[in-house]
Amino acid sequence: RGQAQQLLTCLHSMPTSCSVECAGGFVGHLRISEGVCFLGLFCPNYPRNAAFAYLEDVRLLFQEELKREFGTGSVDYRSCLECIDKPYYFGRFDRHIAKILIQYRDPSSSTVLVKLQSNLAQVSHIMKCNINELMLRGEALDSVSQKASNLKAESKKFSGAAHALSLQVLLQKYLIPLLTIAVVAMLA
C-alpha cells in the first residue's frame, strides 16, 4: 500500500502507461487516462500485455460507470471527479472490478487470450493504417519534389529571359547615341 501511494505521488512525471517494479517482488502496472490513474499490482510472472488488457477493461467499465452516474451528454467527467468529496464514492464499482479480476486471474484462460488477440489485431490494424499514411505522404513528397524541380527549371528560364530583355533594353537605349558618336568621330 505504501508503494502504491509513493507511485501516485510521482504520477505527474510518468508516461500514460508504464510498469514499475515494487518491493515484495510485485510489478505495478499503471495507465493514466483523462486524469484517472488505473493501477494494479501483479506478480512478476504475470504477462505485461494481460495486465494492461485488465487495466483497459477496468478503464472502460469505469467510463460506463461515470456515464451512468453523471450522464452521457457533454459532461466533463474530470471536473465531476474532482468535485467528489466522499471517500469510497465508487464503492459499488468494486463488484465490477471483482468480475473482471476473475476473468484475468489465469493469464492463459481463453478470455484473456481472446482479449490479447483482439488488442493485437487492433495494433496490427493501426500499424497498417500508419504505414499506408506514410506511403501516401511519400507519394505526396515525390509530387512536391517534382513540382519543386519544375519550378526551379522555370525560374532559370525566367531568369535567362529577364537577362536577355535587360540587354535588349540597354541596346535600344544606348545604341543610337553610340552609333551617332561613332559616325561623328569617323567624319571628323
Side-chain angles (χ1 to χ4, degrees):
R1 181 180 175 143
Q3 281 194 319
Q5 289 175 340
Q6 188 178 17
L7 268 175
L8 294 175
T9 59
C10 302
L11 284 181
H12 64 281
S13 63
M14 295 184 132
T16 57
S17 292
C18 69
S19 301
V20 180
E21 289 187 24
C22 301
F26 290 103
V27 177
H29 298 288
L30 64 95
R31 178 162 164 40
I32 302 169
S33 174
E34 298 175 20
V36 179
C37 175
F38 301 92
L39 171 67
L41 292 175
F42 296 85
C43 294
N45 59 352
Y46 196 84
R48 185 175 192 267
N49 292 341
F52 280 109
Y54 167 76
L55 293 175
E56 180 64 16
D57 281 356
V58 170
R59 185 189 71 80
L60 292 173
L61 274 175
F62 188 68
Q63 279 184 336
E64 288 177 22
E65 182 70 20
L66 288 175
K67 288 176 185 175
R68 269 193 297 272
E69 188 70 27
F70 300 111
T72 58
S74 59
V75 177
D76 180 19
Y77 296 120
R78 187 172 186 161
S79 63
C80 291
L81 289 172
E82 289 172 357
C83 293
I84 294 173
D85 57 353
K86 296 179 194 174
Y88 307 110
Y89 186 85
F90 291 99
R92 64 182 177 275
F93 185 65
D94 192 40
R95 290 179 300 173
H96 298 293
I97 293 174
K99 288 178 186 175
I100 296 173
L101 184 61
I102 290 170
Q103 293 175 355
Y104 282 91
R105 191 168 302 267
D106 179 16
S108 61
S109 72
S110 61
T111 306
V112 174
L113 294 176
V114 165
K115 293 205 188 257
L116 291 177
Q117 189 75 16
S118 171
N119 288 348
L120 185 61
Q122 284 178 332
V123 169
S124 175
H125 176 71
I126 290 169
M127 288 179 66
K128 285 177 185 176
C129 289
N130 288 344
I131 289 171
N132 287 338
E133 286 178 17
L134 286 173
M135 290 175 70
L136 290 175
R137 285 183 195 158
E139 290 172 4
L141 286 176
D142 289 343
S143 173
V144 168
S145 175
Q146 182 63 36
K147 288 177 183 176
S149 296
N150 292 344
L151 187 60
K152 185 177 179 181
E154 291 297 320
S155 69
K156 281 185 180 180
K157 285 181 188 177
F158 180 76
S159 175
H163 185 65
L165 280 174
S166 174
L167 186 61
Q168 188 178 7
V169 167
L170 280 174
L171 286 176
Q172 285 177 353
K173 186 175 181 181
Y174 296 112
L175 184 63
I176 293 177
L178 284 174
L179 285 177
T180 306
I181 292 174
V183 169
V184 172
M186 283 185 166
L187 292 178

